[in-house]
Amino acid sequence: MEKIPFLKPNLVKQDSFKEYISEIEKTRHYSNYGPLNTVFESRVLSEYFNGIGGVTTVNNATTGLMLAINQIKRPEGCFALMPSFTFSATPLAAMWCGLEPYFVDINKEDWCMNKDQIKDILAKMADKVAVIVPYATFGTNMNLSFYKDLHEQGLPVVIDAAPSFGTMGVDGAFSTGFPGISVFSLHATKSFGIGEGGLIYSSDDNAINEIRQAGNFGFSSNRETVSKGLNSKLSEYGAAIALATLDAFPEKREMRQKIFEQYRKEFQSVPFLKEKWAMQKTEGQIAHQFMSVLCPEGHTNADYVKLLADNHIEARTYFSPVCHQQKFFSAFNQTDLSVTNKISKRIISLPLWEEMKKEDVNKIVTVLSKGL
């Protein structure tokens, strides 16, 4: 029996970017914010962020988080507030910037960071907070008004928007106009995948210019290092694939949305799934990377991952274990994490990739509907 894999990356094919590659051969410009990279950034800013602010590419999103956090963190602070319900890259990036992760619980409905707990921490020890790093959970169009206010009050905010490129709301692409910094991943497993890469956006183009400088060894115009920097530049080959992906992305996003809608319809039509399973409360139109659901209370995700595997279906447990449950991060400060603990036991991420057929979704739903 043919296996249904969890992820099946579908990057653009060679024919779609061969003309861009030819430009590289003509210019012999291979990196260092080259002409293709410049065109990609310009198109992204215009087509997705309404020309507001600035963007810069990076070689991956983890490096992007490091650059962003280091650029705007408050030097007197020591803590980076963030959810534990996130990927390890988030706390690791803070640690590379000399900060301690401080794990905050999430909401039961949208699985995003609990704002009341953030307020409590700030009321008690705002001077020790260097930066706040919310995660736009699974690409949701998270309302950023609360974080916008904090940022404008002098508490820097970096949004971990790794899965969110292409997520749209009433005001356009996610984080359009946000004065803090948003970091997107362009990894092959993301909806906008180019192999490896990242993108940083802010409505504050000065912040973007400073991050770009830091990503080029902190060089001034005369190639003298004047600030703490590293090498985060995306190659022109990556930019070529990114441009071809930008051309194809509306269709790719629509394909993923149709598969998500099929999942949702199936879950609503089966009484057991509708009553016992739960979905994330989301906003906007998401460029879905996979399909995350909560299995019934009283069961664990491991039970259902095994059930699916026995039926030749691969599923994952993003995020389980969550960060504070991992030994490397377990000693860091944390709020009450009761919601995070409950959700992490039940979270299952199901396959969602562009070439999936209706029959694949039906099979997955049929297996889950039988229960344990």
Side-chain angles (χ1 to χ4, degrees), residues 229-282:
L230 47 76
N231 181 7
S232 69
K233 298 185 295 293
L234 185 70
S235 77
E236 283 288 88
Y237 292 102
I241 298 172
L243 281 166
T245 305
L246 200 61
D247 296 335
F249 191 54
E251 181 180 358
K252 292 166 73 69
R253 186 176 59 189
E254 183 178 350
M255 292 168 66
R256 289 175 174 269
Q257 181 65 27
K258 286 182 179 179
I259 298 166
F260 172 79
E261 292 297 341
Q262 184 182 349
Y263 264 122
R264 184 159 62 179
K265 181 180 178 181
E266 295 283 352
F267 267 78
Q268 289 296 310
S269 66
V270 178
F272 170 67
L273 298 179
K274 183 177 180 179
E275 295 169 10
K276 300 295 184 180
W277 290 67
M279 293 186 181
Q280 178 188 11
K281 180 182 178 182
T282 59

